[in-house]
């Protein structure tokens, strides 16, 4: 098993400095962003697609640092009906699959995406409780008219490239839990589409990530090490489905997510929040989590995703690394 980090938290550092930081922390794996919601400062995609020499030089920087490039990350919404967002994110995903094959990287991490409610819609629409028949109509359109045709094409591209596409089961996407992942696999007859097992989004939905791994089995291709703290007092009042987010003021340079979309601010009293590995769940979770992943694939990469806003980028990454490596030792892997 290879333990590493998704380098988005170090996008203000050069690639070489980032790899040096990972190596000094004792990590051996890196996952690099190649499009979608955020920028790509750690990988010159056009140069690498254009020439074998550039690819050899690029991979040589990892070898020199003692780090293996284990995944390309292209999280976005390739099904977004906004013409400024969906087509670009879809093209980023197709290019990431092509690039992964050329680099010999077997994994591309992404999201399933979320269409609008119908062919006239301009905004994505997430339906999770379709008690009214109109919402089943929405889901039928989203799955049969949009998602399945798109993902059949992605499956074909991934199979031709021998690259595994690893879907993060992320709310506000069609695929957000094990049943919806299996639905996508079954409806596209997929062999090269599976899960990126990120426990953070499963925790707040009430899903047991270890049980999810055992349920999905060899459909788990890749993993993230990202924790979630459930704030029980706030859950009692607000529940886990919470709309108290606020807009990021323009003078604080909100992160663009494509088109006019920007990243919002979390509630001041959140029901749950992303935290560094070990700050939400201890070894009683992380040890069996790593063991379950190891049973599926002893060579699986598990990359830290640092989004703990209470810790700075280095402090949070260091703490997550210490706790993940300690859990791996206890897990005997």
């Amino acid at each position: 098993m290879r333990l590493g980090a998704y380098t988005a938290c170090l996008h203000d550092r050069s690639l070489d400095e980032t790899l040096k930081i990972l190596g000094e922390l004792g990590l051996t794996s890196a996952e690099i962003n190649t499009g979608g919601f955020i920028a790509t400062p750690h990988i010159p995609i056009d140069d690498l697609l254009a020439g074998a020499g550039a690819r050899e030089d690029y991979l040589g920087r990892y070898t020199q640092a003692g780090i293996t490039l284990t995944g390309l990350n292209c999280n976005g919404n390739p099904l977004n009906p906004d013409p400024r967002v969906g087509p670009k994110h879809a093209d980023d995903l197709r290019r990431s699959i092509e690039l992964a094959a050329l680099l010999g990287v077997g994994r591309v991490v992404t999201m399933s995406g979320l269409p609008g409610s119908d062919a006239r819609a301009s905004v994505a629409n997430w339906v999770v409780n379709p008690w009214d028949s109109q919402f089943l109509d929405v889901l039928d359109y989203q799955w049969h008219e949009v998602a399945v045709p798109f993902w059949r094409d992605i499956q074909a591209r991934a199979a031709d490239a021998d690259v595994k596409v690893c879907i993060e089961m992320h709310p506000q996407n069609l695929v957000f839990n094990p049943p919806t992942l299996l639905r996508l696999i079954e409806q596209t007859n997929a062999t090269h589409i599976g899960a990126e097992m990120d426990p953070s989004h499963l925790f707040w939905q009430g899903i047991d990530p270890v049980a999810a791994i055992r349920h999905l089995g060899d459909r788990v291709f890749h993993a993230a090490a990202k924790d979630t703290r459930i704030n029980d007092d706030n859950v009692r009042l607000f529940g886990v489905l919470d709309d108290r987010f606020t807009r990021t003021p323009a003078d604080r340079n909100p992160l663009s997510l494509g088109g006019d979309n920007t990243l919002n601010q979390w509630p001041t009293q959140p029901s749950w929040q992303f935290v560094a590995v070990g700050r939400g769940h201890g070894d009683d979770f992380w040890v069996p989590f790593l063991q379950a992943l190891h049973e599926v694939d002893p060579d699986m990469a598990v990359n830290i995703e640092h989004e703990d806003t209470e810790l700075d980028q280095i402090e949070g990454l260091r703490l997550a690394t210490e706790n993940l490596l300690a859990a791996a030792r206890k897990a005997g892997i």
Side-chain angles (χ1 to χ4, degrees):
M1 182 166 282
R2 290 170 287 182
L3 306 181
Y6 173 37
T7 66
C9 64
L10 297 172
H11 271 184
D12 63 331
R13 315 293 178 100
S14 70
L15 174 63
D16 291 332
E17 183 180 2
T18 293
L19 297 179
K20 182 174 183 290
I21 290 170
L22 300 190
E24 289 174 345
L25 289 173
L27 299 171
T28 60
S29 164
E31 183 177 318
I32 307 296
N33 201 74
T34 54
F37 288 133
I38 61 176
T40 62
H42 287 163
I43 187 164
I45 297 172
D46 290 337
D47 292 345
L48 298 181
L49 287 172
R55 295 192 292 272
E56 183 178 351
D57 291 344
Y58 182 74
L59 291 173
R61 297 161 74 179
Y62 289 83
T63 301
Q64 185 174 4
I67 303 290
T68 300
L69 178 59
T70 57
L72 305 183
N73 190 303
C74 191
N75 275 335
N77 185 358
L79 307 183
N80 195 319
D82 186 333
R84 299 166 298 174
V85 181
K88 179 188 180 300
H89 289 187
D91 188 57
D92 287 346
L93 176 56
R94 289 186 285 261
R95 281 162 48 93
S96 295
I97 293 169
E98 179 185 359
L99 180 58
L102 291 171
L103 290 172
V105 178
R107 303 290 186 269
V108 171
V109 177
T110 191
M111 296 173 183
S112 66
L114 182 65
S117 60
D118 56 67
R120 302 179 301 270
S122 60
V123 177
N125 190 330
W126 190 40
V127 174
V128 293
N129 188 15
W131 62 273
D132 184 322
S133 64
Q134 67 178 315
F135 299 123
L136 284 180
D137 293 340
V138 169
L139 287 172
D140 286 344
Y141 165 77
Q142 291 179 322
W143 279 92
H144 302 312
E145 301 299 323
V146 183
V148 170
F150 176 83
W151 282 100
R152 279 181 179 154
D153 175 70
I154 294 299
Q155 154 63 26
R157 292 171 184 268
D160 287 346
D162 195 22
V163 169
K164 298 291 180 67
V165 178
C166 315
I167 294 181
E168 182 177 349
M169 293 177 283
H170 194 297
Q172 307 242 344
N173 283 263
L174 281 183
V175 171
F176 60 92
N177 59 15
T180 50
L181 177 71
L182 291 174
R183 185 185 309 168
L184 183 66
I185 291 170
E186 291 164 1
Q187 293 191 12
T188 57
N189 295 313
T191 57
H192 285 65
I193 296 172
E196 188 234 16
M197 182 55 64
D198 182 341
S200 66
H201 304 290
L202 302 185
F203 283 136
W204 70 262
Q205 294 183 72
I207 298 170
D208 178 350
V210 175
I213 295 168
R214 302 204 188 284
H215 182 67
L216 294 171
D218 61 6
R219 290 300 191 176
V220 179
F221 295 155
H222 196 74
K226 182 179 169 187
D227 210 342
T228 298
R229 182 170 64 215
I230 308 298
N231 300 317
D232 290 331
D233 288 345
N234 294 338
V235 170
R236 292 188 186 98
L237 290 177
F238 310 123
V240 296
L241 296 177
D242 193 352
D243 69 350
R244 294 174 300 126
F245 286 70
T246 56
R247 301 180 191 277
T248 304
D251 60 4
R252 292 180 58 187
N253 298 315
L255 177 67
S256 174
L257 300 177
D260 295 329
N261 307 325
T262 59
L263 186 65
N264 290 327
Q265 298 294 298
W266 282 71
T268 56
Q269 294 178 295
S271 294
W272 52 271
Q273 61 200 109
F274 299 131
V275 292
V277 171
R279 297 191 70 220
H281 297 79
D283 286 344
D284 57 336
F285 166 74
W286 289 102
V287 170
F289 177 74
L290 292 175
Q291 289 172 331
L293 292 172
H294 189 268
E295 290 172 9
V296 173
D297 179 2
D299 294 325
M300 187 176 298
V302 183
N303 293 322
I304 293 166
E305 184 176 3
H306 172 40
E307 291 187 3
D308 190 329
T309 59
E310 296 175 343
L311 303 172
D312 70 30
Q313 58 190 150
I314 300 300
E315 179 187 15
L317 191 56
R318 179 178 293 111
L319 179 62
T321 299
E322 290 173 353
N323 289 334
L324 185 65
L325 292 178
R329 288 192 294 270
K330 292 177 182 177
I333 57 176

